[in-house]
Amino acid sequence: MEITRRFVKPLTYAVTVCFVFLSCYVPAANAAIVGTESLLETEANRAKVGVFLARKDVQQQFVKQGIDPEQALARINRLTDAEVDLLANKIDSMPAGGDIVGAAVFIFLVLLVTDLLGLTDVFPFVKKPANR
């Protein structure tokens, strides 16, 4: 009984100190008003990417690379606003009527990276984490 009390009492003090330190930490919450222009621009970029992915030549490139176009569109719809803006800017910077292969490769790389991070499950050749 004395041995148990000798170990439990210091442990109780240590746990109490940990709880006090953990309860003192309060993370600061940052909030800001989101502007209408920002939301409209993001929605316009999502629409632009959606229209681009709906084109026949883009879907043919997906099929050539072994990607199901419907699955790719579903994955693109789950991208963050920053990633969609990046895709929309890439589409805007392409020459008119040209470099469709470059855009398809760029989208392929975005999907590949998200697959490697474990966020998507598009490609069967990418090793998946064991906990999925």
Side-chain angles (χ1 to χ4, degrees):
M1 181 80 170
E2 185 62 38
I3 292 176
T4 306
R5 188 176 288 250
R6 195 174 78 193
F7 289 116
V8 171
K9 195 170 185 178
L11 182 64
T12 305
Y13 289 139
V15 170
T16 304
V17 168
C18 288
F19 278 131
V20 168
F21 281 127
L22 289 175
S23 66
C24 290
Y25 174 71
V26 177
N30 296 324
I33 296 175
V34 178
T36 305
E37 296 85 20
S38 172
L39 289 175
L40 291 177
E41 182 180 340
T42 301
E43 290 303 315
N45 285 341
R46 285 195 183 277
K48 184 185 301 182
V49 171
V51 167
F52 180 77
L53 292 176
R55 290 176 35 184
K56 293 274 188 208
D57 51 348
V58 174
Q59 291 184 0
Q60 289 172 354
Q61 287 295 324
F62 279 146
V63 170
K64 282 183 184 177
Q65 294 183 13
I67 304 169
D68 179 28
E70 293 298 320
Q71 192 177 26
L73 183 61
R75 302 292 188 220
I76 294 291
N77 287 335
R78 285 191 243 150
L79 292 178
T80 64
D81 292 341
E83 292 168 333
V84 170
D85 291 342
L86 182 66
L87 277 175
N89 289 336
K90 178 71 175 172
I91 291 170
D92 285 340
S93 68
M94 290 185 331
D99 203 19
I100 187 71
V101 176
V105 168
F106 180 74
I107 292 171
F108 170 76
L109 290 176
V110 168
L111 292 173
L112 181 65
V113 168
T114 57
D115 210 21
L116 287 172
L117 293 175
L119 302 173
T120 61
D121 189 16
V122 178
F123 304 111
F125 57 84
V126 175
K127 284 190 171 186
K128 309 296 186 261
N131 59 359
R132 284 187 105 193

